Amino acid sequence: MKDIKVYKSKIEYGFFAVFFLLVIASIFLMILKGESNNSILVCGSILFLILIFLCYGTFSIRYIIEGNTLKIRNGIIYSKDVDIYNIKSIKQSYSIISSPSAAFDRIEVNFNKYDSVLISPNSKQLFINDLLLINPEIKIELKKD
């Protein structure tokens, strides 16, 4: 039986605050411009659905260590399996590149020859320690907290 460990993504709630404020500001501007109630309702509904989709995507991000495989999951949006024995290094990253991560405090996992993925496990050090138990050859390059 395989040992399975699941890590949720670290979440920066500022993402939601900015989007929520943009939704409120958009609706407020529509009211000030004198848009019809139907227009406001349609626009508000669309923005609300987008907010729900963003919440689903954010809260569904998981990093699963199953056997010697790191499974990166983001609901129905993103799925990637990485053989832990192919991981070469893990580096600190604050990149804003789109990734299966809900925070800017990220780590870059480099694997195979030229592949990498940016992730943000909630328990970063515990996550890295679990990977090192499987593959102690992973080079770690993190800044001291």
Side-chain angles (χ1 to χ4, degrees):
M1 186 169 159
K2 292 183 181 180
D3 190 24
I4 299 174
K5 295 192 178 182
V6 179
Y7 294 88
K8 293 180 180 180
S9 177
K10 181 185 232 181
I11 297 173
E12 290 186 15
Y13 292 97
F15 287 143
F16 294 107
V18 169
F19 187 76
F20 184 74
L21 289 173
L22 288 173
V23 168
I24 297 300
S26 298
I27 293 172
F28 184 71
L29 288 173
M30 289 181 76
I31 292 170
L32 285 178
K33 278 182 71 178
E35 296 288 340
S36 70
N37 287 343
N38 284 343
S39 295
I40 295 169
L41 183 62
V42 168
C43 182
S45 298
I46 291 170
L47 291 172
F48 183 71
L49 290 173
I50 292 170
L51 184 61
I52 288 173
F53 182 73
L54 287 174
C55 287
Y56 166 73
T58 300
F59 290 103
S60 68
I61 300 172
R62 301 279 185 274
Y63 314 112
I64 304 158
I65 298 174
E66 184 175 347
N68 65 334
T69 303
L70 169 60
K71 298 180 177 190
I72 303 166
R73 301 292 184 263
N74 187 357
I76 60 172
I77 302 167
Y78 183 88
S79 176
K80 181 164 208 64
D81 291 354
V82 176
D83 185 331
I84 295 171
Y85 290 109
N86 289 335
I87 296 176
K88 307 295 183 211
S89 66
I90 296 174
K91 301 176 186 176
Q92 188 73 43
S93 176
Y94 295 96
S95 173
I96 60 170
I97 294 174
S98 179
S99 67
S101 168
F104 286 123
D105 179 16
R106 300 171 174 179
I107 55 176
E108 180 181 5
V109 178
N110 296 291
F111 56 98
N112 297 333
K113 193 165 185 174
Y114 300 109
D115 297 321
S116 69
V117 64
L118 295 170
I119 60 174
S120 60
N122 206 8
S123 303
K124 185 173 18 180
Q125 195 57 55
L126 188 59
F127 174 80
I128 291 170
N129 290 344
D130 284 340
L131 292 176
L132 287 170
L133 286 174
I134 297 166
N135 180 1
E137 301 297 315
I138 299 171
K139 187 169 40 167
I140 308 299
E141 300 172 31
L142 298 179
K143 296 175 184 162
K144 300 284 184 195
D145 289 335

